[in-house]
Amino acid sequence: MNILLTGGAGFIGRWVALRLLNEGHQVWIVDDLSNGQESNLNEFRQHPGLKDFIHGDIKDEALLENLFNEVKFDICYHLGASINVQDSIDDPRTTFNNDTVGTFFVMEQCRKHWVKVVFMSTCMVYDRCTDEAGITELHPTKPASPYAGAKIAAENMVLSYYYAYGLPTVVIRPFNTYGPFQKTGGEGGVVAIFINNKLAGKDVSIYGEGTQTRDLLFVEDCARFVVDAGFSDKVDGQIVNAGLGRDISVNDLALLIIGDSSRIKHVEHIHPQSEIQKLLCNYGKAKELLGWEPLVSLEEGIRRTEAWIQEGLAHTH
């Protein structure tokens, strides 16, 4: 199939691209590289299935129009977005324009050309988890940051195209995804930052008490979920979660990764109002509709991520 992937040079996008290419599809990637890196695609840049990498912005309507007129797409995986919670609090405009307005522009092309849309949302739209059964798709939302607010606005837009026009669309809400190719600096995820600091011999800093929990999904499990959502009509018009179904406090995660409590420090939280105290995914719907479940345990995922970061450090020194 002909597939458009926005944000394909990003962390998750890169793994989605690889999976689509391995499955034999033709892939076009649009990414403005504000968050992604072209080097993420090095491994398969020569792959015959990778038709084009377009360094461009989804807010550029002319660019999108030309692309959709040129290529008859079957599916659009829309992952391109501003994803940093803190940035969205400091500069809500950029996040709103990229995540909500940008999504509208993508939706309009998909409507005109009748292209299925898989919209990448986030677990950050949810209110805190209240019981051990985990967060289902019916759990209340609570946009605690402009990032979450922009994503909920975009989700509603995407679903409205299903109800108003019958366009096949699906909203997916993966939980905290980690793994190789995630940034290890301040922009990265907690797992990548902790491992990087461990290997660099630095202490790790935890915001706030560290009692907040995360449900951590290995990126290859996430990419398989994303891709599967595009190829199943059972999820059209649906919101679907994916996660590990196990949560861990940030304190316990730090200890698991670094193994030495004397190297773990607590610092004041920058944006405590946007912290979600407990995140635990119930992925029953994904299992039922897509036959999807995670295959990589937290321990194994951390091991693979550490090996990848270690390899990167070996190359730079």
Side-chain angles (χ1 to χ4, degrees):
M1 291 207 185
N2 288 345
I3 290 170
L4 175 61
L5 172 59
T6 70
F11 159 52
I12 298 175
R14 181 246 174 233
W15 286 100
V16 170
L18 182 62
R19 186 160 187 95
L20 289 166
L21 291 169
N22 287 342
E23 289 186 7
H25 302 290
Q26 327 280 324
V27 180
W28 282 254
I29 291 175
V30 174
D31 200 305
D32 70 353
L33 301 179
S34 59
N35 195 41
Q37 295 163 295
E38 219 176 327
S39 58
N40 284 347
L41 308 175
N42 284 351
E43 198 181 304
F44 45 84
R45 206 54 214 267
Q46 302 310 312
H47 194 291
L50 183 56
K51 291 304 174 192
D52 201 2
F53 169 76
I54 299 134
H55 181 193
D57 189 326
I58 55 167
K59 298 192 303 301
D60 181 343
E61 279 198 279
L63 179 142
L64 288 180
E65 204 167 336
N66 291 337
L67 185 57
F68 276 82
N69 285 333
E70 207 176 291
V71 184
K72 175 76 189 87
F73 292 114
D74 298 292
I75 305 175
C76 170
Y77 289 93
H78 177 35
L79 277 61
S82 294
I83 58 167
N84 192 292
V85 171
Q86 279 148 21
D87 289 351
S88 83
I89 293 172
D90 301 332
D91 170 23
R93 181 181 300 267
T94 297
T95 295
F96 178 78
N97 282 331
N98 286 335
D99 297 12
T100 312
V101 180
T103 297
F104 170 69
F105 291 152
V106 170
M107 292 309 301
E108 278 295 89
Q109 292 303 322
C110 291
R111 173 174 75 87
K112 284 176 194 152
H113 297 269
W114 207 257
V115 179
K116 172 161 178 172
V117 179
V118 177
F119 175 66
M120 171 68 85
S121 188
T122 169
C123 66
M124 300 305 284
V125 302
Y126 286 119
D127 201 354
R128 63 182 292 172
C129 180
T130 45
D131 66 69
E132 287 307 316
I135 292 173
T136 71
E137 295 79 2
L138 300 171
H139 189 81
T141 56
K142 176 190 166 184
S145 63
Y147 167 62
K151 280 290 191 183
I152 292 176
E155 285 186 355
N156 284 327
M157 179 100 61
V158 168
L159 290 172
S160 78
Y161 279 59
Y162 173 78
Y163 291 115
Y165 308 109
L167 185 73
T169 67
V170 53
V171 168
I172 54 176
R173 292 176 178 165
F175 277 63
N176 304 96
T177 305
Y178 72 98
F181 292 91
Q182 188 165 36
K183 290 181 179 174
T184 54
E187 296 291 288
V190 63
V191 173
I193 295 168
F194 283 0
I195 292 173
N196 197 51
N197 284 14
K198 171 192 173 176
L199 295 174
K202 296 181 194 156
D203 290 345
V204 304
S205 297
I206 294 174
Y207 290 133
E209 302 287 297
T211 53
Q212 63 271 34
T213 75
R214 293 292 172 262
D215 182 310
L216 293 154
L217 178 63
F218 189 64
V219 68
E220 291 185 58
D221 281 334
C222 181
R224 181 165 47 86
F225 166 72
V226 174
V227 170
D228 289 355
F231 287 92
S232 165
D233 52 12
K234 287 187 188 153
V235 291
D236 291 350
Q238 301 285 329
I239 295 171
V240 194
N241 287 344
L244 192 59
R246 160 191 174 188
D247 66 338
I248 185 171
S249 73
V250 176
N251 286 334
D252 288 344
L253 178 67
L255 205 53
L256 180 64
I257 289 173
I258 210 153
D260 174 359
S261 56
S262 70
R263 288 177 62 187
I264 300 169
K265 308 278 180 275
H266 289 80
V267 296
E268 200 182 331
H269 210 303
I270 325 176
H271 292 303
Q273 73 279 21
S274 287
E275 182 63 85
I276 302 174
Q277 204 46 42
K278 182 177 175 67
L279 281 171
L280 170 62
C281 178
N282 181 321
Y283 61 83
K285 187 171 177 180
K287 189 172 181 179
E288 183 196 339
L289 296 181
L290 295 172
W292 177 90
E293 51 189 324
L295 302 175
V296 180
S297 70
L298 181 59
E299 290 74 9
E300 167 67 12
I302 287 172
R303 195 188 60 70
R304 290 195 206 175
T305 308
E306 186 163 332
W308 180 79
I309 293 174
Q310 188 118 42
E311 196 185 328
L313 291 172
H315 286 310
T316 50
H317 297 314

